[in-house]
Amino acid sequence: MSAGTATVFDPTGFELPDGQRRVLRWTLYIGYFALVAGVFHGLAQALSYAQIDILKYFPFLESYYQGLTVHGVTNALILTFSFSNAFLPLMISRALSQKLVSSLLWTSFILMVLGNVLVFYAVTTNQASVLYTAYAPLQAHWSFYVGLVLIVVSTWVALLNMIIVYRRWRGAHPDVRVPLLAFISLASYAMWFLASLPIAVSFLGFLIPWSLGLIDKVDPLLNRTLFWFTGHAIVYAWLLPAYVSWYALVPRQAGGKLMSDTLTRFVFILFLLLSIPTGFHHQYTDPGISTGMKAVHAVLTFGVFFPSLATAFSVVAALEMGGRARGGRGLLGWIRRLPWGDASLTAQILAMVTFVFGGITGLINASYTLNLVIHNTSWIPGHFHMTVGSAVGLTLVGVAYWLIPYLTGRQLWGRGLALASSWVYTIGVLIFARGMSSAGLEGMPRRTYMAQAPYYQSQWDLGGMLTGIGGTLMFLGIIFFFIVIVATILVGKKGAAPKDIPWSESLHGPVSEGWAPRLDRIGVWSLVAVVLILIAYSPWFVSNLPPRLISPGFSIW
Ligand code: HAS
Ligand code: CU
């Protein structure tokens, strides 16, 4: 073999069995249903910033916090993990031409359903209005914590399925480089597995026994620290499946190629290493954590900014190749030539554009001193609706526009409405975030039902109004999405669906010589990640263990 050539696995001619497709499809439906169920309270919340109170029309809600818990849990947790539990195993199975393990597929699905049932029970009966952050000493009903644990375990089972598929393939192909799509899918969930362990300790070790009355008191700071230990990395567990699409699928959809196979693997390894040891950037204002440790996490947060920056250059290059291949000329002429009529691609490009602002606001959050200005203000929801709420949410919408047809065998229904959904949503979220950010700088608080706040200040009028207008457009965008997906499933034209996933070729690589194959050793990289995590977290745990079990539970709703 000559230098620079690649030993590439040929995955053509494989189709997933119908039974497995069906489980994947229903897993996805849970997620997309959760998305739609969650946006109703989103609308109420956004309008409340504009001093419009529609919560009185939600008679089944006993408090604003109950609604906010529904919003956060459905849109940030259930949508994302249901999607990943279906999407990542599908990607690895397709990339390696291997069937999934049916029993594990079912187990993961059933755990996800059970978890949802328990969480649904706890939240709808107003026994768990603790928000998606579930901070102790607010105490929820045990079914809330157990339900969330089951959802997390379902992600572990999905990962196990992927690992087994990978090992089977590796046994048959010992000297071939693992295809990029399989590698980045596996790396995404490997990172999440490591990241999920602290929250598992918090829930299983403390919050569940406490909510069952087996222990009387918990250590609020310890649980909060364990929460953010997982809680920062969780945002990358949401983001990386979107990046899998941006790197490995979007270039093809745009008529271009992925820039570099090696760079892409490198980016995912950086996420594996740096996503987790950064949680203290959510706790800059918490007492009981030394300034030095906060500074270490701040620096590492700037480190984890880098792979996203590399992603920005890489995905724009892929889009540019696509636009130029389609006849685009000049500095920016390629943008116009992108296939803007493709609803799936358009949603994802708009997700990327919004993420530029999500990234910039993230950098501001991460800055130790600037954080003091914006922490706990509406600036933060401004930030996260441009990250999880757009970079991720809109990408999941865009992927649905090819994935649901692919899995159901039915053509996408209503392309015009599908296109409108992501444009309306994007215009909405940019207006919304402009309102939230500017009013946040003026001190408008987050997690507050502003339509009833006695301390409302008129200087928030403009920001609040923009939040209300933008939030209404976002709501409409998701409703359009819902109509398109339900109609596709029920009345989409049979047989006219995509037959395969949109694979992308890469311009450079994969390379089989030199050090490049070593990049594929996820196990070794995971060990390095553990070392970094120990450096970043053990000093705090050494001085804060054993736990100080001082606080009883509070249910203030
Ligand atoms: Fe964050 C708070 C810092 C990214 C989500 N974040 C939150 C919360 C959520 C969240 C939910 O340091 C609130 C949690 C709560 O309830 O309290 N965040 C960052 C930083 C990044 C970042 C540095 N966040 C995310 C992502 C999220 C997410 C991703 C979800 C998926 N965040 C913070 C901090 C806080 C925080 C503090 C705590 C604040 C506080 O005080 O409470 C970075 O990773 C961002 C990197 C992003 C980029 C952008 C790259 C752009 C790309 C697109 C390029 C494509 C283009 C297309 C331009 C560098 C890849 C062009 C197209 C053409 C056609 C031309
Ligand atoms: Cu974070």
Side-chain angles (χ1 to χ4, degrees), residues 322-347:
R324 293 201 187 282
R326 297 167 59 89
R329 298 276 169 271
L331 190 60
L332 296 175
W334 57 270
I335 295 178
R336 275 206 343 209
R337 288 299 179 98
L338 287 168
W340 291 103
D342 177 340
S344 170
L345 178 68
T346 298

Side-chain angles (χ1 to χ4, degrees), residues 75-259:
N75 288 2
L77 300 178
I78 300 176
L79 164 67
T80 47
F81 286 116
S82 304
F83 176 82
S84 300
N85 275 1
F87 181 69
L88 297 176
L90 173 68
M91 289 301 111
I92 204 161
S93 116
R94 187 60 201 88
L96 302 179
S97 291
Q98 299 274 327
K99 276 192 280 186
L100 293 162
V101 183
S102 287
S103 54
L104 292 178
L105 206 52
W106 274 105
T107 309
S108 163
F109 175 72
I110 291 167
L111 286 169
M112 176 60 85
V113 172
L114 282 179
N116 268 280
V117 169
L118 287 179
V119 170
F120 181 84
Y121 165 75
V123 174
T124 51
T125 54
N126 196 28
Q127 298 184 79
S129 299
V130 294
L131 310 187
Y132 83 119
T133 38
Y135 287 152
L138 289 179
Q139 192 183 49
H141 190 258
W142 62 264
S143 51
F144 181 71
Y145 304 117
V146 173
L148 290 178
V149 166
L150 293 183
I151 291 175
V152 171
V153 177
S154 82
T155 66
W156 295 348
V157 176
L159 171 64
L160 181 64
N161 206 341
M162 294 164 68
I163 292 173
I164 291 175
V165 165
Y166 169 71
R167 294 189 74 92
R168 272 189 195 154
W169 174 86
R170 183 45 94 202
H173 304 88
D175 299 320
V176 183
R177 284 207 71 188
V178 55
L180 180 80
L181 178 58
F183 176 81
I184 60 182
S185 301
L186 200 55
S188 301
Y189 251 12
M191 186 288 286
W192 164 241
F193 174 71
L194 289 181
S196 62
L197 297 176
I199 198 95
V201 171
S202 166
F203 278 32
L204 295 172
F206 300 101
L207 301 187
I208 291 176
W210 179 57
S211 62
L212 286 169
L214 301 175
I215 53 174
D216 296 336
K217 295 179 177 172
V218 287
D219 179 341
L221 182 61
L222 173 65
N223 280 286
R224 208 172 141 93
T225 302
L226 288 169
F227 179 85
W228 286 119
F229 198 156
T230 294
H232 175 70
I234 210 174
V235 313
Y236 295 116
W238 302 334
L239 182 69
L240 293 186
Y243 274 11
V244 168
S245 174
W246 294 4
Y247 273 107
L249 310 177
V250 159
R252 167 73 167 273
Q253 292 180 293
K257 285 185 178 176
L258 163 73
M259 193 53 197

Side-chain angles (χ1 to χ4, degrees), residues 76 80 132-133 135 227-228 231-232 234-240 243 246-247 271 278-285 297-298 301-302 304-313 315-316 319 332 334-336 338 340 348-367 371-372 374-377 379-381 383-389 391-393 446-447:
T80 47
Y132 83 119
T133 38
Y135 287 152
F227 179 85
W228 286 119
H232 175 70
I234 210 174
V235 313
Y236 295 116
W238 302 334
L239 182 69
L240 293 186
Y243 274 11
W246 294 4
Y247 273 107
F271 277 115
T278 49
F280 285 154
H281 70 223
H282 291 266
Q283 296 178 279
Y284 286 150
T285 55
H297 284 227
T301 304
F302 291 123
V304 77
F305 194 77
F306 176 77
S308 282
L309 214 52
T311 301
F313 287 105
V315 295
V316 173
L319 292 177
L332 296 175
W334 57 270
I335 295 178
R336 275 206 343 209
L338 287 168
W340 291 103
Q348 297 186 68
I349 296 180
L350 294 175
M352 295 170 190
V353 171
T354 312
F355 194 41
V356 173
F357 304 101
I360 294 168
T361 47
L363 210 50
I364 290 165
N365 300 347
S367 309
N371 184 274
L372 300 179
I374 45 82
H375 184 64
N376 276 341
T377 72
W379 167 282
I380 302 295
H383 161 71
F384 68 67
H385 284 84
M386 295 189 289
T387 51
V388 61
V392 177
R446 65 180 289 201
R447 304 189 189 98

